Amino acid sequence: MQIDVVSDTVCPWCHIGRARLNKAIALRPDLDIQVVWHPFQLAPELPPEGVDRKEYLEQKFGGADKARHIYTPIVEAGSYEGIPFAFEKIKRTPNTFDSHRLILWAGAAGCQDRMVGILFRLYFEDGADIGDPEVLAGAAAEAGMDADLVRELLAGDADRDRIDAELTVARRLNIQGVPTFLFNQRYLLSGAQDPMQLSALFDRIEAEAPAPAPPAS
């Protein structure tokens, strides 16, 4: 079974959605499930260097106090999933384009889901600027990738066209919120789903799968 996940690295519900998806997968060790991550940008208009977090919250929510009110249910949901959100540590809101390039390269290196988890942790729990090439290189090293190669790639235009193409696909699919999950190119679900509901969907997909062809005589 393939699960394609459309996500942004600064989306807190995507962090929660990943945790819940992994719980659902752990409930079904009998299934061969491949998870592939795809890019989405909640704020593509941000400059490459990102913006001051206080300024961003003022423009988007009307200030930090109003933002805290919005983040309260997120913090509560995260706590239930074992995610210690620390929004107060975040000093800059990054443009996430380069983080999506890193996730793409992590897929080729066989550590994509781990990389997504590292980036979520760095941003939401450690307050790191995941738009900073050095932070991204450090994330690459933590995932077992070649940090120097990642620095070199980030300094150029490698795979920018591929990320642009995937962002275009998301728009054509009318994806307006993340996380969005696509199961076997057939079932589309939006939002951080409950693990038991996801597990039940796995059962439905397996039940509808065609039976394997009999061996040739």
Side-chain angles (χ1 to χ4, degrees), residues 3 19 23 27 30-31 35 44-45 47 92 94 99 110 126 129 150 159 185 190 199 212 214:
I3 304 174
K23 283 185 177 180
L27 292 172
D30 55 307
L31 297 180
V35 179
E45 74 282 357
R92 292 194 68 78
S99 70
D126 300 342
D129 179 3
V150 167
D159 290 315
Q185 299 292 312
S190 294
S199 181

PDB file of all heavy atoms in Angstrom, residues 3 19 23 27 30-31 35 44-45 47 92 94 99 110 126 129 150 159 185 190 199 212 214:
ATOM      1  N   ILE A   3       1.025   5.341   0.600  1.00  0.00           N
ATOM      2  CA  ILE A   3       0.350   6.504   1.166  1.00  0.00           C
ATOM      3  C   ILE A   3       1.167   7.730   0.780  1.00  0.00           C
ATOM      4  O   ILE A   3       2.324   7.870   1.183  1.00  0.00           O
ATOM      5  CB  ILE A   3       0.224   6.406   2.693  1.00  0.00           C
ATOM      6  CG1 ILE A   3      -0.495   5.122   3.096  1.00  0.00           C
ATOM      7  CG2 ILE A   3      -0.507   7.631   3.242  1.00  0.00           C
ATOM      8  CD1 ILE A   3      -0.543   4.885   4.597  1.00  0.00           C
ATOM      9  N   ALA A  19       2.482  11.693  13.358  1.00  0.00           N
ATOM     10  CA  ALA A  19       2.507  10.849  14.555  1.00  0.00           C
ATOM     11  C   ALA A  19       1.332   9.869  14.550  1.00  0.00           C
ATOM     12  O   ALA A  19       1.495   8.680  14.881  1.00  0.00           O
ATOM     13  CB  ALA A  19       2.468  11.719  15.809  1.00  0.00           C
ATOM     14  N   LYS A  23       1.306   5.711  14.190  1.00  0.00           N
ATOM     15  CA  LYS A  23       0.599   4.845  15.145  1.00  0.00           C
ATOM     16  C   LYS A  23      -0.297   3.854  14.398  1.00  0.00           C
ATOM     17  O   LYS A  23      -0.365   2.673  14.761  1.00  0.00           O
ATOM     18  CB  LYS A  23      -0.241   5.682  16.103  1.00  0.00           C
ATOM     19  CG  LYS A  23       0.557   6.375  17.207  1.00  0.00           C
ATOM     20  CD  LYS A  23      -0.369   7.091  18.181  1.00  0.00           C
ATOM     21  CE  LYS A  23       0.407   7.722  19.324  1.00  0.00           C
ATOM     22  NZ  LYS A  23      -0.480   8.415  20.291  1.00  0.00           N
ATOM     23  N   LEU A  27      -0.121  -0.364  14.131  1.00  0.00           N
ATOM     24  CA  LEU A  27      -1.222  -1.272  14.443  1.00  0.00           C
ATOM     25  C   LEU A  27      -1.345  -2.394  13.426  1.00  0.00           C
ATOM     26  O   LEU A  27      -1.987  -3.413  13.703  1.00  0.00           O
ATOM     27  CB  LEU A  27      -2.546  -0.492  14.507  1.00  0.00           C
ATOM     28  CG  LEU A  27      -2.728   0.490  15.661  1.00  0.00           C
ATOM     29  CD1 LEU A  27      -3.997   1.316  15.452  1.00  0.00           C
ATOM     30  CD2 LEU A  27      -2.785  -0.246  16.996  1.00  0.00           C
ATOM     31  N   ASP A  30       1.340  -6.324   9.667  1.00  0.00           N
ATOM     32  CA  ASP A  30       1.199  -7.322   8.601  1.00  0.00           C
ATOM     33  C   ASP A  30       1.166  -6.682   7.215  1.00  0.00           C
ATOM     34  O   ASP A  30       1.295  -7.393   6.204  1.00  0.00           O
ATOM     35  CB  ASP A  30      -0.095  -8.121   8.810  1.00  0.00           C
ATOM     36  CG  ASP A  30      -1.324  -7.210   8.900  1.00  0.00           C
ATOM     37  OD1 ASP A  30      -1.306  -6.267   9.713  1.00  0.00           O
ATOM     38  OD2 ASP A  30      -2.298  -7.450   8.167  1.00  0.00           O
ATOM     39  N   LEU A  31       0.990  -5.385   7.158  1.00  0.00           N
ATOM     40  CA  LEU A  31       0.863  -4.706   5.865  1.00  0.00           C
ATOM     41  C   LEU A  31       2.197  -4.107   5.424  1.00  0.00           C
ATOM     42  O   LEU A  31       2.973  -3.604   6.242  1.00  0.00           O
ATOM     43  CB  LEU A  31      -0.181  -3.594   5.946  1.00  0.00           C
ATOM     44  CG  LEU A  31      -1.618  -4.010   6.253  1.00  0.00           C
ATOM     45  CD1 LEU A  31      -2.521  -2.785   6.298  1.00  0.00           C
ATOM     46  CD2 LEU A  31      -2.123  -5.006   5.220  1.00  0.00           C
ATOM     47  N   VAL A  35       5.289   5.094   2.647  1.00  0.00           N
ATOM     48  CA  VAL A  35       4.843   6.480   2.812  1.00  0.00           C
ATOM     49  C   VAL A  35       5.762   7.389   1.995  1.00  0.00           C
ATOM     50  O   VAL A  35       6.989   7.315   2.114  1.00  0.00           O
ATOM     51  CB  VAL A  35       4.860   6.907   4.284  1.00  0.00           C
ATOM     52  CG1 VAL A  35       4.413   8.365   4.427  1.00  0.00           C
ATOM     53  CG2 VAL A  35       3.960   5.987   5.114  1.00  0.00           C
ATOM     54  N   PRO A  44       3.874  30.604   0.624  1.00  0.00           N
ATOM     55  CA  PRO A  44       4.902  30.658  -0.431  1.00  0.00           C
ATOM     56  C   PRO A  44       5.408  32.063  -0.694  1.00  0.00           C
ATOM     57  O   PRO A  44       6.451  32.234  -1.335  1.00  0.00           O
ATOM     58  CB  PRO A  44       4.178  30.092  -1.651  1.00  0.00           C
ATOM     59  CG  PRO A  44       2.723  30.363  -1.396  1.00  0.00           C
ATOM     60  CD  PRO A  44       2.554  30.214   0.089  1.00  0.00           C
ATOM     61  N   GLU A  45       4.683  33.070  -0.199  1.00  0.00           N
ATOM     62  CA  GLU A  45       5.067  34.452  -0.464  1.00  0.00           C
ATOM     63  C   GLU A  45       6.216  34.935   0.410  1.00  0.00           C
ATOM     64  O   GLU A  45       6.783  36.022   0.159  1.00  0.00           O
ATOM     65  CB  GLU A  45       3.858  35.368  -0.245  1.00  0.00           C
ATOM     66  CG  GLU A  45       3.464  35.607   1.209  1.00  0.00           C
ATOM     67  CD  GLU A  45       2.682  34.448   1.835  1.00  0.00           C
ATOM     68  OE1 GLU A  45       2.398  33.463   1.120  1.00  0.00           O
ATOM     69  OE2 GLU A  45       2.350  34.541   3.037  1.00  0.00           O
ATOM     70  N   PRO A  47       9.853  35.618   1.907  1.00  0.00           N
ATOM     71  CA  PRO A  47      11.165  35.703   1.242  1.00  0.00           C
ATOM     72  C   PRO A  47      12.015  34.479   1.592  1.00  0.00           C
ATOM     73  O   PRO A  47      11.750  33.795   2.588  1.00  0.00           O
ATOM     74  CB  PRO A  47      11.766  36.985   1.826  1.00  0.00           C
ATOM     75  CG  PRO A  47      11.075  37.172   3.137  1.00  0.00           C
ATOM     76  CD  PRO A  47       9.670  36.667   2.928  1.00  0.00           C
ATOM     77  N   ARG A  92      11.973  32.754  13.992  1.00  0.00           N
ATOM     78  CA  ARG A  92      11.771  33.112  12.598  1.00  0.00           C
ATOM     79  C   ARG A  92      10.795  32.132  11.962  1.00  0.00           C
ATOM     80  O   ARG A  92      10.816  30.935  12.258  1.00  0.00           O
ATOM     81  CB  ARG A  92      13.079  33.106  11.811  1.00  0.00           C
ATOM     82  CG  ARG A  92      14.047  34.192  12.218  1.00  0.00           C
ATOM     83  CD  ARG A  92      15.166  34.361  11.213  1.00  0.00           C
ATOM     84  NE  ARG A  92      14.710  34.892   9.926  1.00  0.00           N
ATOM     85  CZ  ARG A  92      14.421  36.171   9.703  1.00  0.00           C
ATOM     86  NH1 ARG A  92      14.510  37.060  10.672  1.00  0.00           N
ATOM     87  NH2 ARG A  92      14.035  36.561   8.496  1.00  0.00           N
ATOM     88  N   PRO A  94      10.124  30.466   8.534  1.00  0.00           N
ATOM     89  CA  PRO A  94      10.917  30.296   7.317  1.00  0.00           C
ATOM     90  C   PRO A  94      10.067  30.139   6.066  1.00  0.00           C
ATOM     91  O   PRO A  94       8.903  29.767   6.124  1.00  0.00           O
ATOM     92  CB  PRO A  94      11.674  28.996   7.597  1.00  0.00           C
ATOM     93  CG  PRO A  94      10.684  28.198   8.396  1.00  0.00           C
ATOM     94  CD  PRO A  94       9.956  29.207   9.265  1.00  0.00           C
ATOM     95  N   SER A  99      13.455  23.246   2.561  1.00  0.00           N
ATOM     96  CA  SER A  99      13.207  22.063   3.389  1.00  0.00           C
ATOM     97  C   SER A  99      12.518  20.977   2.577  1.00  0.00           C
ATOM     98  O   SER A  99      12.765  19.780   2.791  1.00  0.00           O
ATOM     99  CB  SER A  99      12.376  22.424   4.627  1.00  0.00           C
ATOM    100  OG  SER A  99      11.033  22.757   4.295  1.00  0.00           O
ATOM    101  N   GLY A 110      16.676   7.080   1.091  1.00  0.00           N
ATOM    102  CA  GLY A 110      15.997   6.066   1.885  1.00  0.00           C
ATOM    103  C   GLY A 110      15.695   6.461   3.309  1.00  0.00           C
ATOM    104  O   GLY A 110      15.469   5.591   4.162  1.00  0.00           O
ATOM    105  N   ASP A 126      12.347  22.545  18.940  1.00  0.00           N
ATOM    106  CA  ASP A 126      13.616  23.200  19.248  1.00  0.00           C
ATOM    107  C   ASP A 126      13.644  24.665  18.843  1.00  0.00           C
ATOM    108  O   ASP A 126      14.556  25.401  19.240  1.00  0.00           O
ATOM    109  CB  ASP A 126      14.770  22.474  18.553  1.00  0.00           C
ATOM    110  CG  ASP A 126      14.892  21.017  18.986  1.00  0.00           C
ATOM    111  OD1 ASP A 126      14.326  20.665  20.045  1.00  0.00           O
ATOM    112  OD2 ASP A 126      15.553  20.240  18.268  1.00  0.00           O
ATOM    113  N   ASP A 129      15.554  27.432  12.864  1.00  0.00           N
ATOM    114  CA  ASP A 129      15.163  28.046  11.599  1.00  0.00           C
ATOM    115  C   ASP A 129      15.416  27.049  10.477  1.00  0.00           C
ATOM    116  O   ASP A 129      16.542  26.917   9.983  1.00  0.00           O
ATOM    117  CB  ASP A 129      15.964  29.326  11.376  1.00  0.00           C
ATOM    118  CG  ASP A 129      15.625  30.023  10.061  1.00  0.00           C
ATOM    119  OD1 ASP A 129      14.724  29.532   9.345  1.00  0.00           O
ATOM    120  OD2 ASP A 129      16.271  31.049   9.754  1.00  0.00           O
ATOM    121  N   VAL A 150      24.655  18.103   0.702  1.00  0.00           N
ATOM    122  CA  VAL A 150      23.408  18.850   0.871  1.00  0.00           C
ATOM    123  C   VAL A 150      23.689  20.348   0.841  1.00  0.00           C
ATOM    124  O   VAL A 150      22.940  21.121   0.211  1.00  0.00           O
ATOM    125  CB  VAL A 150      22.702  18.436   2.169  1.00  0.00           C
ATOM    126  CG1 VAL A 150      21.586  19.425   2.530  1.00  0.00           C
ATOM    127  CG2 VAL A 150      22.124  17.037   2.026  1.00  0.00           C
ATOM    128  N   ASP A 159      16.799  20.603  -8.340  1.00  0.00           N
ATOM    129  CA  ASP A 159      15.447  20.093  -8.098  1.00  0.00           C
ATOM    130  C   ASP A 159      14.415  21.161  -7.733  1.00  0.00           C
ATOM    131  O   ASP A 159      13.321  20.825  -7.269  1.00  0.00           O
ATOM    132  CB  ASP A 159      15.458  19.005  -7.021  1.00  0.00           C
ATOM    133  CG  ASP A 159      16.119  17.729  -7.526  1.00  0.00           C
ATOM    134  OD1 ASP A 159      15.801  17.322  -8.660  1.00  0.00           O
ATOM    135  OD2 ASP A 159      16.951  17.149  -6.809  1.00  0.00           O
ATOM    136  N   GLN A 185      -3.510   5.963  -4.496  1.00  0.00           N
ATOM    137  CA  GLN A 185      -3.978   6.796  -5.611  1.00  0.00           C
ATOM    138  C   GLN A 185      -5.498   6.753  -5.753  1.00  0.00           C
ATOM    139  O   GLN A 185      -6.031   7.015  -6.832  1.00  0.00           O
ATOM    140  CB  GLN A 185      -3.324   6.357  -6.924  1.00  0.00           C
ATOM    141  CG  GLN A 185      -1.811   6.479  -6.930  1.00  0.00           C
ATOM    142  CD  GLN A 185      -1.349   7.915  -6.894  1.00  0.00           C
ATOM    143  OE1 GLN A 185      -1.830   8.754  -7.655  1.00  0.00           O
ATOM    144  NE2 GLN A 185      -0.419   8.222  -6.020  1.00  0.00           N
ATOM    145  N   SER A 190      -8.214  14.519   4.231  1.00  0.00           N
ATOM    146  CA  SER A 190      -7.540  15.716   4.723  1.00  0.00           C
ATOM    147  C   SER A 190      -7.619  15.760   6.243  1.00  0.00           C
ATOM    148  O   SER A 190      -8.595  15.316   6.842  1.00  0.00           O
ATOM    149  CB  SER A 190      -8.175  16.980   4.135  1.00  0.00           C
ATOM    150  OG  SER A 190      -7.975  17.037   2.744  1.00  0.00           O
ATOM    151  N   SER A 199      -6.488   2.888  10.481  1.00  0.00           N
ATOM    152  CA  SER A 199      -6.342   1.436  10.454  1.00  0.00           C
ATOM    153  C   SER A 199      -7.554   0.778   9.790  1.00  0.00           C
ATOM    154  O   SER A 199      -7.418  -0.177   9.021  1.00  0.00           O
ATOM    155  CB  SER A 199      -6.157   0.894  11.870  1.00  0.00           C
ATOM    156  OG  SER A 199      -5.981  -0.497  11.864  1.00  0.00           O
ATOM    157  N   PRO A 212      -4.316 -11.916  -5.811  1.00  0.00           N
ATOM    158  CA  PRO A 212      -3.127 -12.161  -6.634  1.00  0.00           C
ATOM    159  C   PRO A 212      -3.394 -13.209  -7.693  1.00  0.00           C
ATOM    160  O   PRO A 212      -4.198 -14.129  -7.491  1.00  0.00           O
ATOM    161  CB  PRO A 212      -2.089 -12.649  -5.611  1.00  0.00           C
ATOM    162  CG  PRO A 212      -2.893 -13.167  -4.461  1.00  0.00           C
ATOM    163  CD  PRO A 212      -4.120 -12.306  -4.406  1.00  0.00           C
ATOM    164  N   PRO A 214      -3.028 -16.438  -9.964  1.00  0.00           N
ATOM    165  CA  PRO A 214      -2.506 -17.772  -9.651  1.00  0.00           C
ATOM    166  C   PRO A 214      -1.202 -18.013 -10.398  1.00  0.00           C
ATOM    167  O   PRO A 214      -0.948 -17.412 -11.458  1.00  0.00           O
ATOM    168  CB  PRO A 214      -3.610 -18.705 -10.175  1.00  0.00           C
ATOM    169  CG  PRO A 214      -4.307 -17.922 -11.230  1.00  0.00           C
ATOM    170  CD  PRO A 214      -4.266 -16.488 -10.769  1.00  0.00           C
TER     171      PRO A 214
END
